Amino acid sequence: MKRIDHKLLIVAAMTIALSGCQTTNDTQDNTVGVGIAGMVVGSITGALTNATVGTAVSVATGLAAFTINNYQSKLVSSTAEERRAYGATGPVTQPQVKIQKSRNTPTVVEAGGKVAVRTVYWLNLPPRQSTAPVVESWTIKDKDDIALVTLGPTSGGREKGKRETTLDFTVPEEIKPGTYMIEHKVQTGSRSDTGISKFYVIE
């Protein structure tokens, strides 16, 4: 199949509404509702399934899809140094988020390969508030900072402290070789933070 120029792809945005079970230390999203919107021209196709099995996001050409799997968000332990660096030095009046790490592995991948994504962030909450709604998303951009597709957003109530969100996605077979960036974004209310990681697609 002839490769297509990723700059010509028409982006479809995928929205994931999450529900499932949550425990004190771990959140695993089991039931996922998926909607696709933002089509510019043409028709759109794609397989939409439970995200724990795999969810495909197709562009309007019908030739490429990013498939995401294994989404998980959980509360993780933190060190005293991290609490000093990322925790609030005094009481906050509204929820705040700060990304600590934004990474992906591998950094070099073939088309059709898998990329694992990891976002570590800190959620600060006002006194007597135990949880806050948090929205997470990952936008894949080309080397010219042009957004190609957004994975997510995911949303759910999150407990305060250091949190780790992981997922993996399949690189489309038709994507053009080159450098791509992942913009990790976490938002609660009007407060948000972003981080960048990169991967390189080879022939």
Side-chain angles (χ1 to χ4, degrees):
M1 182 181 294
K2 184 179 179 180
R3 292 187 181 275
I4 59 176
D5 189 333
H6 59 275
K7 291 184 180 180
L8 299 180
L9 297 181
I10 300 171
V11 176
M14 181 184 71
T15 301
I16 300 180
L18 295 172
S19 62
C21 58
Q22 176 171 310
T23 64
T24 300
N25 295 317
D26 184 87
T27 300
Q28 176 67 54
D29 297 293
N30 297 315
T31 305
V32 180
V34 180
I36 286 189
M39 180 168 50
V40 180
V41 294
S43 61
I44 205 162
T45 59
L48 303 178
T49 61
N50 192 297
T52 58
V53 177
T55 301
V57 181
S58 292
V59 298
T61 58
L63 295 177
F66 284 83
T67 305
I68 68 169
N69 302 280
N70 304 316
Y71 169 84
Q72 187 177 50
S73 179
K74 62 183 179 180
L75 191 66
V76 295
S77 60
S78 59
T79 65
E81 182 178 353
E82 287 174 321
R83 289 191 290 274
R84 286 193 298 270
Y86 297 97
T89 56
V92 296
T93 58
Q94 57 182 313
Q96 299 176 347
V97 287
K98 179 65 177 179
I99 290 182
Q100 181 183 0
K101 296 177 183 178
S102 48
R103 296 179 177 175
N104 62 263
T105 54
T107 55
V108 178
V109 63
E110 294 181 346
K114 287 186 179 296
V115 175
V117 180
R118 178 172 177 254
T119 308
V120 178
Y121 64 93
W122 198 279
L123 175 64
N124 285 318
L125 298 179
R128 296 183 295 277
Q129 182 174 343
S130 59
T131 64
V134 174
V135 178
E136 306 155 338
S137 63
W138 301 265
T139 299
I140 298 175
K141 301 181 176 183
D142 67 10
K143 63 181 179 60
D144 298 317
D145 203 35
I146 296 174
L148 302 179
V149 68
T150 295
L151 307 181
T154 66
S155 62
R158 302 291 184 247
E159 294 178 279
K160 66 178 180 181
K162 180 181 177 181
R163 302 199 60 87
E164 179 184 71
T165 299
T166 57
L167 59 87
D168 61 69
F169 65 84
T170 303
V171 178
E173 292 282 357
E174 299 85 355
I175 201 167
K176 186 178 180 179
T179 300
Y180 294 85
M181 296 175 288
I182 304 173
E183 181 185 82
H184 307 233
K185 183 177 180 180
V186 181
Q187 181 170 351
T188 180
S190 61
R191 304 296 183 92
S192 65
D193 195 20
T194 58
I196 296 294
S197 63
K198 297 181 180 180
F199 64 98
Y200 188 85
V201 178
I202 60 176
E203 292 279 3

